[in-house]
Amino acid sequence: MKKILLLLTGIALLANCTNKRGQEAKTSGDGLAGTIQLSGAFALYPMAVRWGEEFRKIHPDVKVDISGGGAGKGMTDALSGVVDIGMVSREVYPEEIGRGAYPIATVKDAVIPVVNANNPEWESIRRVGLTKGTAAKLWSREVSTWGEVTGTSATTPVHVFTRSDACGAAETFAAWFGRKQEHLKATAVFGDPGLAAAVQKDRVGIGYNNVAYAYDQKTKRIFDGLAIIPIDVNENGRIDPEEDFYETTETLIEAISAGRYPSPPARDLYLVTKGKPTKPEVIAFLEYVLTEGQQYAGETGYIGLAEDKLQEELTKLR
């Protein structure tokens, strides 16, 4: 009997300790708990994943679910209430504001033109770069050879790629030369990773990517199989030393920050809610993004916002 009583007492104590540990787990951090769901722009996906990981170290009882799909999906999901936050990599349209979209600018990045690293005309491409006018002709199928791009007699064909999903990258890239995504005529591929892969597989291919999908964020250098076409900003027919800043993400980010890379295709990236957010965990996450979270922008391939811009965005949450 004594042995049975001792056994029952031990079980009770163990259960009590287990229950206490469970209660402690539920109230760890500052008591913030719940789930935050995000979807949308591939451009923001790597940054949002990093923010989610770091935020959970502070608030382990908050689950952060993140999925891609393009800026259009992010906006649709946010406005329909499917997710708490939509990731949007373009300017928010007035009609979306009218439907309740509440955008918070978070970081900056850029869309950059890419070609296959083994393009037989690479030396000429690198020397002359890409102008707005040539880009407009490429993505309207008025150009069919790389010689027409570089001003040489080369008859090497050019294969042009674009995005099939409604996305900020396509909209922003098209805006650079005065077009909209629906005006881009090219072989359509889904998603940022898909477009990069298509160009990597095609020696004469050309496309565009967000910085995080053109550069390896571990090495800070361009992914194998890709090369960046420099933009001829002053349109003098050649790439000048001050226009050649694509070797690493650090040199590119510095150029974007200094305004040496045009905007568009540089742009702000947004987290969008339907109406001013009210869920405590969503507000805390957005505040984190605009404060402590900014320290991870550079190492993830993005550009943090200026202090006055951050304060302006924080005001929207108060």
Side-chain angles (χ1 to χ4, degrees):
M1 181 63 72
K2 287 182 179 180
K3 288 182 179 180
I4 293 173
L5 288 172
L6 286 172
L7 179 61
L8 291 174
T9 301
I11 292 171
L13 287 171
L14 180 60
N16 186 50
C17 290
T18 302
N19 185 51
K20 285 183 177 179
R21 282 198 297 269
Q23 290 176 345
E24 288 169 2
K26 290 179 182 178
T27 59
S28 58
D30 58 0
L32 197 67
T35 299
I36 305 170
Q37 293 180 307
L38 298 89
S39 75
F42 286 101
L44 252 178
Y45 183 84
M47 186 75 261
V49 168
R50 181 63 186 274
W51 281 330
E53 291 171 348
E54 299 299 330
F55 183 76
R56 288 208 67 199
K57 292 177 183 177
I58 304 170
H59 305 289
D61 298 325
V62 179
K63 185 178 180 182
V64 183
D65 290 333
I66 306 169
S67 62
K73 184 178 188 303
M75 181 62 76
T76 298
D77 287 351
L79 293 181
S80 62
V82 173
V83 298
D84 299 296
I85 301 173
M87 301 181 290
V88 178
S89 53
R90 57 164 171 75
E91 291 302 313
V92 178
Y93 305 139
E95 56 268 31
E96 293 168 336
I97 298 291
R99 291 167 55 201
Y102 198 79
I104 303 293
T106 57
V107 286
K108 290 178 68 74
D109 85 332
V111 185
I112 49 181
V114 297
V115 296
N116 186 287
N118 297 310
N119 189 300
E121 309 303 326
W122 171 242
E123 287 305 316
S124 296
I125 296 168
R126 184 173 62 84
R127 184 173 62 253
V128 303
L130 188 67
T131 63
K132 290 181 182 180
T134 302
K137 290 179 180 179
L138 278 164
W139 273 272
S140 61
R141 290 184 172 158
E142 296 175 43
V143 169
S144 59
T145 70
W146 277 106
E148 294 172 273
V149 175
T150 60
T152 66
S153 60
T155 58
T156 306
V158 57
H159 297 163
V160 187
F161 294 91
T162 188
R163 292 275 292 275
S164 63
D165 50 311
C167 66
E171 193 70 21
T172 301
F173 188 67
W176 171 51
F177 47 88
R179 301 286 196 277
K180 292 184 175 294
Q181 179 175 1
E182 56 264 33
H183 300 148
L184 302 182
K185 298 178 181 179
T187 301
V189 183
F190 179 80
D192 236 321
L195 201 153
V199 174
Q200 285 172 316
K201 294 174 184 176
D202 191 326
R203 291 184 71 225
V204 296
I206 180 173
Y208 51 85
N209 279 109
N210 296 298
V211 173
Y213 294 88
Y215 289 83
D216 185 330
Q217 295 312 308
K218 292 181 179 178
T219 65
K220 307 300 181 184
R221 296 190 175 273
I222 302 162
F223 279 119
D224 289 342
L226 290 179
I228 312 300
I229 308 181
I231 289 181
D232 181 10
V233 179
N234 60 18
E235 302 196 355
N236 66 351
R238 65 179 184 273
I239 296 301
D240 299 317
E242 60 270 21
E243 295 171 321
D244 189 8
F245 41 70
Y246 300 88
E247 185 175 0
T248 67
T249 49
E250 285 98 339
T251 55
L252 176 56
I253 286 171
E254 182 183 353
I256 296 170
S257 298
R260 290 188 288 129
Y261 189 84
S263 180
R267 54 16 191 332
D268 287 342
L269 302 177
Y270 297 89
L271 293 179
V272 178
T273 57
K274 185 176 183 181
K276 187 175 180 179
T278 56
K279 287 176 65 174
E281 60 270 32
V282 172
I283 295 170
F285 179 74
L286 292 171
E287 288 179 341
Y288 173 82
V289 164
L290 295 170
T291 52
E292 297 169 66
Q294 292 290 302
Q295 66 184 296
Y296 304 109
E299 63 187 66
T300 316
Y302 298 81
I303 301 158
L305 300 182
E307 187 59 35
D308 58 342
K309 180 68 171 179
L310 290 171
Q311 292 305 315
E312 179 183 335
E313 300 305 300
L314 280 167
T315 300
K316 296 179 183 178
L317 302 173
R318 295 164 182 164

